[in-house]
Amino acid sequence: MREPTFGVLGPLQVRAHGVPVRIGGAKPRAVLATLLLQPNGFVSLDLLTEVLWPGGAPRSAVANVRTYVRTLRLRLPPTAVGGLRTEPSGYSLGIEPGEVDMLLFEQQLAAARAARDRGEDAAALRAYEMALGLWRGGVLQDVPSSVVWDPAITRMEGLRSIAVDECLELRLRLGDYAHLVSALRSRLTESPLREDLWRMLVHALNDAGRSAEARSAYAEAEQVIAAELGIEPSEPLRAIGAEVNGYPGRHRAATPVSVCQLPMDIPDFTGRAVEVADLEELLSTAGRQPVVAAVSGPPGAGKSTLAVHVAHRVRDVFPDGQLFVDLAGTSECPREPADVLAEMLRGLGVIDSAIPGEPGERAAMFRSRLAQRRFLIVLDDALGSAQVSPLLPGSGGSAVLVSSRRRMPGLPARACPLGLMRHDDARALFGAIVGADRLRREGADADRVLAECGSLPLAVRMAAARLVNRPGWSVGTLADSLRDERGRLGAVRFGELEVRAGAELSYRHLPEPAATAFRTFGDLPGDAVPGWLVAAATGCDSETAGGLDTLLDEHLVEVVGRDRLGLNRYRMHDLLRCYARELVLTDNQEMRLRRRLRVIDALTALARSANAAMPTRFLGVLGEPDERGLPDGPAHDLVPMVRARPVDWFESEHRNLVAVVDAAVRLGRTDRAADLAIELAGFFDMRGYYGDWLRTHRLVLDAMPHHDDVRAAALLRNLGQLHLYQDRYPDALASFDRARALFAELGHPTGEAIAAVGSGSVHRIMGDLGAALETFTTALQDFAAHGDRHGEAVARNAIASVWLERKDPEAAAGWLRGALELSCADGDRHREAQVRRRVAVLHELRGEPQAARGELERALGIFDELADLHCAAYVQQSIAELCLRQGDAGEASALLIGALAVQQQLGDRRAEARVAGLLGELHDATGRKQTARHYFHRSLAIWRRLDLPDEAGPVDAKLRSMRREAVG
């Protein structure tokens, strides 16, 4: 094949009879490049001036362009000059396909695909190789770039990438494993998260008989995907992994169960067959691109019920899981997209501290997590397009099902308007509840009931339940009651009248306990609640006495599932909750306040019980003790279960607890709000719910009229700890010092010592070891003076950390010995593991790597037992560094990638930067330069974001050195 005259697939190139032609001058070269990117097309003078002078063209721009074109005419080969035509207001360059490598590449690629489609694989492979052989580098890589060229360059680079992939697939089909493996390795260096490439690599190695390498490649794929995305590989990659590892047909034990957040399906769902079928078909088409369906309709039309029902029917199509979020669009406070994104990211396994603060970054992370997975997302009760748009996936095989009262034309969704039920469907629903025989006997009156209900499913259900619970009533009696109710209520918004009438009718016939429970839902948090909390709010001694069963029978509340402790969770329909809020406003204010305080006090008392049984001990100060001790009423019976499973209880009530802190502040009871917020800090610390930690503490502190008591000091100390975790060192030090001073004013030496430990930790991290040692020593004296053995262990361990930073193991040894003895004697396993981490450092400084490894393994075992992922990741990092120093790169890599995944998930940016740098050093030492650069760039970006130039400098220097080596 004759070499083309013009080349843009690499450095700009011009040839005449096979001899290079030099085109001098940056501006003439830019003009030629622009013409070549639009061969045989018109290029305007305006476009050329934008390329040549992107910051603004001079007055002589047009004359200058003409000069550059004349220069080209003088230097281009004679055969090409004839194609360079001057046209009104611009130019064009006529070129045959064989004269420019870009057109020739597209021609050869088309030929390769045609041969492939005919089944001529060998010929197709030769054509692919010829096409790809035309590329000499990046498009126009030696010409200064222009945004004008971006679309054309992006298109060509995309075609090249697709062609490479198609060629790789062809080699796999032909069994050309030797070339394929090396090409895949090179491709994965550029795109380490491409699961299809990993799958081909594992397949190729396995088919080539290199089974050990295939297993190793799969393990590497798992580690890279976990480190970068924090997720398991997708099912196709796991399947080939299972095959090469010798356990086809079953998953590894570590494979997580898919997420399913869907509420319970309605067992007697009736009607809507057409809508159900249409939605099932649409959602099942999700594949290379996501699909979105938007169900809209009047209140009570059954939008949520339909969405949940369809979601359950298509669950198998979405093996990675199903997310469900109530957007509260019809409530007084619709949910913000940023908060919803945080909730969904948690559902995808992201720890709260890893969730970005900016809404745009949260949306980007959400899209990234879904890009290679198949999830079904149900967004219930949406306010409108603006609320929903940030919550949509950008690519992949996921689907979204939205329900809303409003049509949302601005949403890229298939609209599914839901009107009144068809009469036959409404009759079937009514009959399913009251009985088919009764429907046949009193059919005419049943039609009257349906007419009064407007054939709205919610109204039909409520009316039928009313009838079932009134055996003495006829269907005609029910119809008359509904007609009277409609007349009395008058006009309200379309669709709400029927539901309001049914709610009013049902409420008027409730026994007092059930009526009280109904009103109580107007004062409870909007999330699903446990039955005991409803009983506690109403002042009942037990859940069964609180009227919930009656509300269930009347279809006024629904069970939406069970929590982690196996307790039923109840939710009231939004329309009914609005009515309950109206009713509760008519209650005596004193009675309503008592009800709200009972909720706050019950949750706070159980939080105290849970805190006392937590597997880790939070270094904090609680607020004023509650003299009443254990909770009374229905919460009292829950105490043994809460103490047995404290973390599960906190997780189950997480959103309600945060909501109740806010409710207490709005009531002006900041003391109660502070007590609950302080009790939550240990759980937030353990689980990494840093957003809720910051929100609750900041909210309460801002509401306090004065910061002059133990509660305020405890909140400030806790905020200091949070700032420390998130590398906000000035804020951390300010909070710790304010808390320390306030504790001192209040005569609270233990609190003062706890705050001092925090201040000392900031000094140590910032390199002021003298101030750190002085502060830790003062804290130890205060702990010892008041017999706080746990505090003593913390302070001794902290003092040892300073001596270890100073590379003085002998000075640290006594402090560590004392800290370990105190921790073991106190039964504080978590503190014991923390001390053992420092003992390992001591052994390393003494040149005893095996003893160091032993201590680290003991610490890791304790952290794993306590499910403390964060601390376990630090220990993994320490073990990996030991392995690196001992020359075991393989184990070091696996440990570091695992640690990196956790640190990224938890948002520990400092640790993430350090681990990424270690991985860069490891890959650089083993010759994987591209991967090393990837990790170094990641480390450098984080250090710069943290504004730590001393840490960023060495990484930047390393990257510069690698660039010089590459050029040399």
Side-chain angles (χ1 to χ4, degrees):
M1 182 175 64
R2 185 173 61 86
E3 194 163 9
T5 302
F6 297 104
V8 297
L9 305 181
L12 178 63
Q13 179 176 278
V14 181
R15 303 181 74 85
H17 306 295
V19 179
V21 174
R22 184 178 179 277
I23 304 295
K27 293 287 196 281
R29 288 168 62 81
V31 171
L32 178 59
T34 307
L35 292 167
L36 289 172
L37 287 176
Q38 299 187 47
N40 304 307
F42 173 73
V43 177
S44 69
L45 280 168
D46 288 342
L47 192 70
L48 287 171
T49 56
E50 187 176 344
V51 170
L52 297 172
W53 298 281
R59 292 182 181 178
S60 60
V62 173
N64 291 347
V65 170
R66 288 173 179 156
T67 299
Y68 303 143
V69 172
R70 282 198 299 273
T71 300
L72 290 176
R73 291 186 189 281
L74 293 173
R75 295 179 180 172
L76 290 178
T79 54
V81 172
L84 180 53
R85 295 185 294 273
T86 301
E87 300 186 16
S89 302
Y91 302 90
S92 67
L93 182 60
I95 302 176
E96 294 296 324
E99 291 182 320
V100 59
D101 57 5
M102 182 174 71
L103 296 181
L104 189 57
F105 165 72
E106 293 187 64
Q107 192 178 63
Q108 288 290 338
L109 181 57
R113 288 170 172 170
R116 178 199 61 187
D117 294 343
R118 292 193 301 269
E120 300 171 3
D121 288 352
L125 181 59
R126 288 193 296 273
Y128 273 115
E129 289 174 339
M130 289 176 65
L132 292 169
L134 292 166
W135 286 77
R136 298 165 287 111
V139 177
L140 296 170
Q141 69 179 39
D142 66 338
V143 181
S145 62
S146 169
V147 294
V148 172
W149 301 342
D150 285 350
I153 292 176
T154 300
R155 174 178 169 274
M156 291 309 300
E157 294 284 2
L159 279 176
R160 179 193 193 185
S161 180
I162 293 170
V164 170
D165 290 345
E166 291 173 353
C167 187
L168 292 173
E169 291 171 358
L170 201 58
R171 287 190 187 279
L172 181 62
R173 201 156 68 205
L174 289 167
D176 185 11
Y177 299 128
H179 291 97
L180 178 61
V181 169
S182 62
L184 283 168
R185 284 291 188 191
S186 174
R187 195 95 167 109
L188 280 165
T189 299
E190 302 168 3
S191 307
L193 300 180
R194 287 273 305 274
E195 290 199 19
D196 56 335
L197 299 180
W198 283 111
R199 197 164 60 247
M200 275 198 283
L201 177 61
V202 175
H203 191 179
L205 289 168
N206 195 47
D207 284 0
R210 298 157 65 178
S211 54
E213 291 179 69
R215 288 192 293 273
S216 176
Y218 176 73
E220 185 180 357
E222 275 193 316
Q223 293 166 354
V224 169
I225 292 166
E228 295 295 331
L229 300 178
I231 61 174
E232 289 281 323
S234 63
E235 176 56 34
L237 182 52
R238 288 204 305 268
I240 188 68
E243 182 180 333
V244 300
N245 281 291
Y247 42 85
R250 65 179 180 88
H251 294 314
R252 299 179 303 108
T255 300
V257 177
S258 64
V259 178
C260 182
Q261 298 179 346
L262 298 177
M264 245 192 283
D265 195 6
I266 299 294
D268 58 354
F269 185 91
T270 305
R272 305 292 194 190
V274 173
E275 290 88 348
V276 169
D278 288 347
L279 286 170
E280 279 191 63
E281 182 180 0
L282 174 63
L283 296 173
S284 299
T285 61
R288 296 185 67 85
Q289 291 295 323
V291 298
V292 183
V295 179
S296 60
K303 301 178 293 296
S304 299
T305 303
L306 174 68
V308 171
H309 180 67
V310 170
H312 276 283
R313 289 175 66 91
V314 298
R315 276 182 59 186
D316 292 344
V317 181
F318 301 95
D320 290 314
Q322 303 84 42
L323 301 176
F324 178 90
V325 183
D326 180 0
L327 297 180
T330 55
S331 71
E332 296 175 359
C333 299
R335 300 189 63 189
E336 291 294 329
D339 293 336
V340 176
L341 284 166
E343 178 181 331
M344 291 198 292
L345 285 168
R346 284 194 289 268
L348 294 173
V350 182
I351 298 300
D352 198 66
S353 59
I355 297 172
E358 290 297 319
E361 292 180 7
R362 289 184 179 182
M365 176 182 280
F366 179 65
R367 292 192 296 268
S368 175
R369 291 295 174 109
L370 291 181
Q372 298 187 40
R373 306 171 82 181
R374 288 179 64 79
F375 264 88
L376 174 63
I377 303 155
V378 181
L379 302 174
D380 188 36
D381 190 19
L383 177 63
S385 302
Q387 186 188 34
V388 173
S389 293
L391 313 178
L392 301 181
S395 59
S398 295
V400 183
L401 183 54
V402 188
S403 74
S404 176
R405 292 192 191 180
R406 299 171 175 83
R407 295 178 183 273
M408 293 178 283
L411 210 61
R414 172 85 65 84
C416 179
L418 198 64
L420 304 180
M421 286 187 89
R422 286 175 285 276
H423 185 70
D424 290 346
D425 288 345
R427 279 177 64 90
L429 175 59
F430 188 76
I433 299 172
V434 305
D437 292 341
R438 196 169 192 180
L439 181 62
R440 280 193 298 270
R441 287 196 311 269
E442 303 179 72
D445 285 331
D447 288 339
R448 289 173 56 209
V449 170
L450 297 179
E452 297 297 338
C453 290
S455 290
L456 285 172
L458 178 60
V460 172
R461 280 187 177 278
M462 290 172 57
R466 178 76 261 147
L467 186 62
V468 169
N469 291 319
R470 284 288 180 274
W473 281 19
S474 67
V475 179
T477 304
L478 174 65
D480 292 340
S481 299
L482 285 171
R483 185 189 58 218
D484 293 343
E485 201 65 42
R486 286 169 61 92
R488 189 176 67 77
L489 286 170
V492 291
R493 284 184 296 169
F494 171 71
E496 294 188 8
L497 178 58
E498 294 80 4
V499 177
R500 177 69 177 272
E504 176 77 7
L505 178 64
S506 296
Y507 176 76
R508 283 198 294 115
H509 291 89
L510 288 175
E512 181 51 35
T516 301
F518 184 89
R519 294 196 307 277
T520 296
F521 269 90
D523 261 341
L524 289 174
D527 202 32
V529 296
W532 71 263
L533 189 60
V534 181
T538 59
C540 295
D541 291 333
S542 66
E543 181 176 330
T544 55
L548 265 179
D549 288 343
T550 304
L551 296 183
L552 280 171
D553 291 340
E554 295 280 354
H555 285 279
L556 296 172
V557 297
E558 59 180 342
V559 177
V560 294
R562 290 180 177 270
D563 60 25
R564 293 167 181 259
L565 273 64
L567 304 175
N568 282 343
R569 310 290 291 192
Y570 299 87
R571 186 175 62 187
M572 181 175 279
H573 190 282
D574 292 330
L575 286 177
L576 301 179
R577 186 183 290 277
C578 289
Y579 181 51
R581 289 196 194 101
E582 292 177 22
L583 292 174
V584 84
L585 290 174
T586 66
D587 283 347
N588 177 281
Q589 288 300 309
E590 185 178 344
M591 178 194 306
R592 191 180 179 198
L593 177 61
R594 284 200 304 270
R595 182 187 300 143
R596 291 176 165 187
L597 293 181
R598 280 196 292 262
V599 170
I600 296 169
D601 291 344
L603 285 171
T604 304
L606 283 177
R608 285 198 177 96
S609 296
N611 237 345
M614 286 285 277
T616 60
R617 184 168 174 181
F618 182 62
L619 184 65
V621 176
L622 299 181
E624 293 298 325
D626 188 340
E627 295 178 358
R628 291 168 297 179
L630 293 176
D632 53 13
H636 182 274
D637 297 334
L638 218 62
V639 170
M641 189 184 298
V642 169
R643 285 181 171 171
R645 300 170 63 184
V647 179
D648 284 340
W649 182 81
F650 271 125
E651 287 285 8
S652 297
E653 301 300 342
H654 180 182
R655 286 180 59 180
N656 286 331
L657 289 163
V658 173
V660 166
V661 172
D662 179 71
V665 169
R666 283 188 280 108
L667 284 175
R669 302 306 173 100
T670 54
D671 53 345
R672 281 175 160 89
D675 286 343
L676 181 52
I678 291 166
E679 293 292 345
L680 293 175
F683 166 66
F684 291 157
D685 184 18
M686 181 182 186
R687 279 292 192 249
Y689 291 143
Y690 294 165
D692 288 327
W693 186 348
L694 180 63
R695 192 178 305 117
T696 53
H697 280 54
R698 196 70 268 165
L699 177 70
V700 178
L701 279 169
D702 289 345
M704 285 181 162
H706 307 287
H707 295 168
D708 56 2
D709 62 6
V710 171
R711 292 184 176 95
L715 290 166
L716 286 167
R717 194 227 71 88
N718 292 350
L719 274 181
Q721 190 72 31
L722 177 59
H723 292 321
L724 178 62
Y725 286 161
Q726 298 188 316
D727 303 312
R728 296 192 293 265
Y729 302 120
D731 291 339
L733 190 58
S735 292
F736 283 134
D737 286 349
R738 284 177 63 198
R740 188 179 177 188
L742 183 52
F743 279 127
E745 289 175 18
L746 295 168
H748 197 304
T750 302
E752 186 180 355
I754 291 173
V757 170
S759 298
S761 297
V762 178
H763 289 309
R764 179 177 60 79
I765 290 171
M766 298 302 289
D768 191 348
L769 298 182
L773 186 59
E774 180 182 349
T775 309
F776 289 147
T777 303
T778 301
L780 175 62
Q781 292 167 354
D782 285 340
F783 284 132
H786 292 83
D788 187 336
R789 294 166 60 83
H790 174 255
E792 277 194 71
V794 171
R796 287 179 177 275
N797 194 37
I799 291 170
S801 71
V802 176
W803 291 112
L804 293 174
E805 289 274 355
R806 290 176 168 174
K807 310 299 182 188
D808 191 340
E810 303 315 316
W815 296 110
L816 288 172
R817 189 163 48 250
L820 193 58
E821 289 171 358
L822 284 167
S823 299
C824 293
D826 220 25
D828 189 343
R829 299 272 288 151
H830 194 270
R831 184 57 50 189
E832 176 192 342
Q834 294 283 19
V835 176
R836 290 193 183 280
R837 281 184 59 206
R838 294 252 162 77
V839 174
V841 177
L842 180 144
H843 285 303
E844 271 206 271
L845 290 173
R846 286 175 171 174
E848 302 164 351
Q850 293 307 314
R853 178 69 180 261
E855 291 294 342
L856 289 172
E857 294 288 359
R858 292 188 191 95
L860 185 59
I862 294 172
F863 288 136
D864 284 343
E865 181 185 325
L866 297 175
D868 188 333
L869 295 177
H870 201 177
C871 290
Y874 275 118
V875 178
Q876 278 185 249
Q877 176 184 338
S878 298
I879 297 174
E881 292 181 69
L882 263 179
C883 292
L884 274 177
R885 285 189 282 275
Q886 293 176 320
D888 189 349
E891 185 176 4
S893 177
L895 287 164
L896 287 172
I897 287 175
L900 185 66
V902 175
Q903 304 296 12
Q904 181 185 27
Q905 191 178 43
L906 291 171
D908 189 335
R909 309 299 284 169
R910 175 183 282 270
E912 184 185 346
R914 187 164 288 117
V915 174
L918 288 170
L919 280 164
E921 295 287 354
L922 185 152
H923 288 295
D924 184 39
T926 53
R928 300 180 64 189
K929 303 296 183 181
Q930 184 67 25
T931 304
R933 281 192 290 272
H934 164 76
Y935 282 115
F936 281 135
H937 278 298
R938 179 171 175 174
S939 177
L940 180 62
I942 297 170
W943 288 128
R944 283 176 172 169
R945 203 173 304 133
L946 293 175
D947 194 23
L948 294 173
D950 290 344
E951 302 285 358
V955 183
D956 188 30
K958 182 64 180 178
L959 280 167
R960 292 176 184 276
S961 173
M962 292 181 75
R963 281 194 289 271
R964 286 195 297 271
E965 290 175 11
V967 172

